[in-house]
Amino acid sequence: SRLHFIYAGVEHNFTPQLNGSLRGGVQLRDYTDVPAGSGLDDSSTNPYVDGNLSYLYNPGSYVLFGYRYQSTATDLTVLDAQTHLVYLNWTHRITARLNANLTYQWQLSDFNQGFSGALDSTEDMFNIFGFNLSYSINEFLSAEAGYNFDDLDSDSAGRSYTRHIGYVGLRATY
């Protein structure tokens, strides 16, 4: 599919520490490979909303909270999903070189326009939790370690899962 966004937005600094952002508009999607005679629409128009608030409580330390509603691609035999996403990101500077990051996302996806109709009005609820420590070695290189927990609860048989991921690595940026 091809996807286009048309939206308008505002950003506002309520105080030097508290900032907000809101975008709203539409998504226009053209499906390029819808089988002829399937009875499915070959295009869709959906609402798009993205809003967040961020609070800077110390230099390099902040909390970000937001909500997004949009049409998203999926790996199921449906054209797309209508998705609600609530997210939280907390970044705390422990020292000038060491940062801790905590993230949480809750996502609810509602599937429609399935090729067989079997998945119409089914849902996925996805919870993602992550913790990360990052140590800045220099301007271009940092060492990282973290843990992610993913939990998918799906109405589709055999799709639900729980996953634990731990990682250690180096990040190079230029």
Side-chain angles (χ1 to χ4, degrees), residues 21-34:
S21 171
L22 180 64
R23 294 178 183 92
V26 296
Q27 291 176 277
L28 308 171
R29 187 182 301 259
D30 294 319
Y31 304 101
T32 55
D33 295 323
V34 174

Side-chain angles (χ1 to χ4, degrees), residues 71-91:
S71 172
T72 55
T74 178
D75 61 335
L76 294 174
T77 56
V78 296
L79 296 180
D80 57 27
Q82 301 306 307
T83 301
H84 298 269
L85 174 67
V86 176
Y87 54 95
L88 176 68
N89 183 339
W90 177 32
T91 298

Side-chain angles (χ1 to χ4, degrees), residues 42-91:
D42 62 356
S43 66
S44 68
T45 302
N46 295 292
Y48 167 75
V49 175
D50 187 2
N52 64 62
L53 288 172
S54 64
Y55 179 71
L56 178 70
Y57 61 90
N58 272 329
S61 299
Y62 63 91
V63 177
L64 173 71
F65 175 75
Y67 169 80
R68 182 179 306 137
Y69 178 82
Q70 69 183 54
S71 172
T72 55
T74 178
D75 61 335
L76 294 174
T77 56
V78 296
L79 296 180
D80 57 27
Q82 301 306 307
T83 301
H84 298 269
L85 174 67
V86 176
Y87 54 95
L88 176 68
N89 183 339
W90 177 32
T91 298

